[in-house]
Structure formats: C-alpha cells, structure tokens
Amino acid sequence: MADPKSLKITMGPVPFLWDGEKWRDFYYRIAESGHVDAVTLGEVVCSKRDHFTRPFLDAVVQRLTDAGKSVAVASLALVTQEREAKATRQLAASEALVEANDLSALRLLSGRAHLVGPFVNVYNGATARLLAKRGATRICLGPELPAASIAAIIAGAPEIEYEIFAFGRLPLAISARCAHARAKGHSKDNCQFVCGEEPDGLDVDTLDGQPFLTVNGVQTMSRHCQVLLADLPDLAGMGVTHLRLSPQVCDMVAVAQIYAETRDGLLEPGEAVERLQGVYAGAPYANGFLHGRAGMEWIAA
C-alpha cells in the first residue's frame, strides 16, 4: 500500500465571486503555505466574473511559481457564448498548464500536457486511458464517485496522476440559467453580481423548510462540506496522488495544515475533524459519496 505521506495537496480555484483584491491576497497567502504543493486558478463557474480577477492573474501565478508551487489555470465548465469560446481558445493557446473542465477545452488541448478537472465526467479506466493518450497528466475525479469506482478507474489507467475532491462544498451542476440572480429578483443578463453577496454560497431549503443545497451563481453545490480525513490511507492505497481543497470563507492555510498533519500521521482523524470544525463551521460535514452512500451522510472514522 502506498504511503499516505506521498499524497500532495492542491488548492483549487475559488468557486465563488470574491473581489479581485481579496482573491489576490488569498492566493498570496497560499503561496506562503508550506503545506500546499499545487494550485489551480481560474474562473470555472461564470465568465461574467472573470474581469474581477483577470487583472491580478499574472501576478498571482508569478507569486505562486516563485514559491515553488505547481500552477495550473482552469477553463470554464460551461461554454455557451462566442466570447467564452474565444477565451477558452486563448487559454489553450497560452503557455500555462491548463485544467480542462469542458470538452471543447479537451479538444483544443489534445497533444499537449494538461490536467482534467472534476467537471469532465470520467467514470471508467477506458476513458482515463483515452485522456492520458491525448495528453492528460492528472485527472481530478468527480466527487460523486465511490471508493470502488475510484480504485477501478485508477487501476485501468495507472500511468497518470489522480486528484480527489477532499475538502469543500461539492460542485454538483452547472446551468445556463442563474438561480442565484433569480432568487434575488434579477435576470442573468442583469444579475448585478448579487452572487458576491454570499462569498460562501447561498444556502437554499426545500419548500417544507429542510436544508437542501447551495447556489453559487449558475452553479449548484452541496449544502454539506466534503471532508475526507480518515480515508487518506485508503485513498493513497488506491493510487490517488493529490487531495484537492476547494476554497471556502475560512483560513484555508489552516485547513491545508490539518490535512497535511493527518496525512503525515501527526493527527488522528477524530482530532483532525475537531480542529477543522474550529476553522470552518460554515456547513455540516459529509463524506457519504466515497463510502457509497448518500452524499450528505457522514460516516465517522
């Protein structure tokens, strides 16, 4: 069985609308973290948000690279307009290491080294092998996969690296419509960027008042926060190489430290969860998908 200490920690793209300075400063702080090995940046959810962070992107990439981090830039998850297609083409033609989150980006990146993000469905080893032949060097698998499926996919294409969504509200769906704007009485075209009013997502309930999901612009996310801490040895044994931490409104440097210390055997999983709850209490925790259960369930260590 692989040593859990071999697991690397990736900080993923900020999925929410943060103002440019906050976004820049967040990643500047990540650059100072000795526990984060790789960073994936970029606007994945809504192209209308891109102008908030675009002016700071080059400086952030440089700061992270100078700090010794492996840096990738993610493509948009849903391309519906020509300006979005143009932006995808420009990203694919750049010198950046690109994470493809849309099939159009995969086509453009074929033949050069790239990453595959969690918005591209990879459900079997044959798909992973095909992506590897086309240039993929690492795949971030979808968060809904159970452990048995993860193990089977990796066994079917063990020549590349695999990343698992280990912390954060889970990305469940992307829509051409914006429920977030609609909930605030606006249309998508005149959204007034109201998603920025909830920098950790807008929680929504069912009609009978039961906690349900979280809305983030055009994205639907889990109400619960995925937390995989007790499962690190098993994930390493399957061949997982990277743990993705998705930014939430909390001290993500502290989150990375908790994951690193658990990975290294310095923290027991139960103690790690207790410490994590002191850092991020913005959502209930869940790990059900990995255990083949409902995603919102929590399977204690």
Side-chain angles (χ1 to χ4, degrees):
M1 177 177 286
D3 187 346
K5 294 180 181 179
S6 65
L7 290 167
K8 296 180 180 179
I9 294 176
T10 301
M11 190 63 62
V14 173
F16 309 105
L17 174 56
W18 294 356
D19 66 66
E21 290 80 5
K22 177 180 178 179
W23 183 89
R24 175 200 62 198
D25 294 345
F26 170 79
Y27 283 112
Y28 277 6
R29 186 153 187 260
I30 295 303
E32 299 170 359
S33 169
H35 302 294
V36 176
D37 304 289
V39 179
T40 300
L41 305 162
E43 181 52 55
V44 175
V45 175
C46 178
S47 63
K48 292 178 67 176
R49 301 173 175 179
D50 188 61
H51 75 275
F52 286 92
T53 57
R54 177 63 56 179
F56 305 100
L57 180 62
D58 290 345
V60 167
V61 169
Q62 189 64 53
R63 177 72 69 93
L64 291 165
T65 302
D66 291 346
K69 314 298 183 189
S70 172
V71 181
V73 181
S75 75
L76 196 67
L78 181 63
V79 177
T80 61
Q81 301 181 38
E82 173 53 34
R83 62 177 176 80
E84 295 168 344
K86 180 180 179 181
T88 302
R89 292 192 294 268
Q90 290 174 337
L91 177 61
S94 71
E95 296 181 358
L97 175 64
V98 179
E99 177 184 276
N101 281 293
D102 174 80
L103 295 186
S104 65
L106 279 179
R107 180 183 66 80
L108 294 167
L109 292 165
S110 180
R112 58 171 282 194
H114 62 274
L115 311 182
V116 176
F119 296 91
V120 175
N121 293 333
V122 179
Y123 290 149
N124 53 63
T127 300
R129 287 196 302 275
L130 175 63
L131 294 175
K133 288 180 181 178
R134 293 170 62 88
T137 60
R138 186 167 84 234
I139 297 173
C140 184
L141 295 172
E144 72 276 15
L145 289 171
S149 296
I150 294 170
I153 292 168
I154 296 175
E159 64 271 22
I160 60 174
E161 296 180 324
Y162 291 89
E163 191 168 339
I164 293 297
F165 204 105
F167 175 85
R169 295 182 191 257
L170 299 178
L172 300 178
I174 291 282
S175 172
R177 300 171 184 262
C178 185
H180 206 141
R182 187 67 176 268
K184 299 289 184 86
H186 301 288
S187 67
K188 181 182 178 182
D189 290 340
N190 187 31
C191 67
Q192 300 183 33
F193 299 103
V194 292
C195 54
E197 296 173 3
E198 283 84 27
D200 212 32
L202 173 64
D203 290 341
V204 296
D205 298 337
T206 62
L207 291 176
D208 57 358
Q210 297 298 311
F212 188 39
L213 296 169
T214 296
V215 173
N216 169 39
V218 297
Q219 182 181 48
T220 302
M221 310 179 81
S222 65
R223 180 69 161 263
H224 292 64
C225 177
Q226 171 102 309
V227 172
L228 304 182
L229 281 168
D231 307 287
L232 301 189
D234 290 339
L235 291 171
M238 296 173 199
V240 172
T241 57
H242 290 68
L243 305 172
R244 174 167 294 203
L245 310 182
S246 184
Q248 303 287 157
V249 178
C250 67
D251 185 350
M252 289 300 299
V253 170
V255 172
Q257 181 176 351
I258 291 169
Y259 271 80
E261 291 182 358
T262 306
R263 173 199 63 191
D264 296 341
L266 303 176
L267 274 178
E268 292 296 323
E271 181 185 358
V273 171
E274 290 182 6
R275 277 185 49 182
L276 191 63
Q277 288 171 333
V279 176
Y280 182 66
Y285 293 174
N287 59 6
F289 278 139
L290 186 69
H291 295 272
R293 305 277 289 274
M296 66 186 295
E297 291 189 29
W298 175 251
I299 312 302

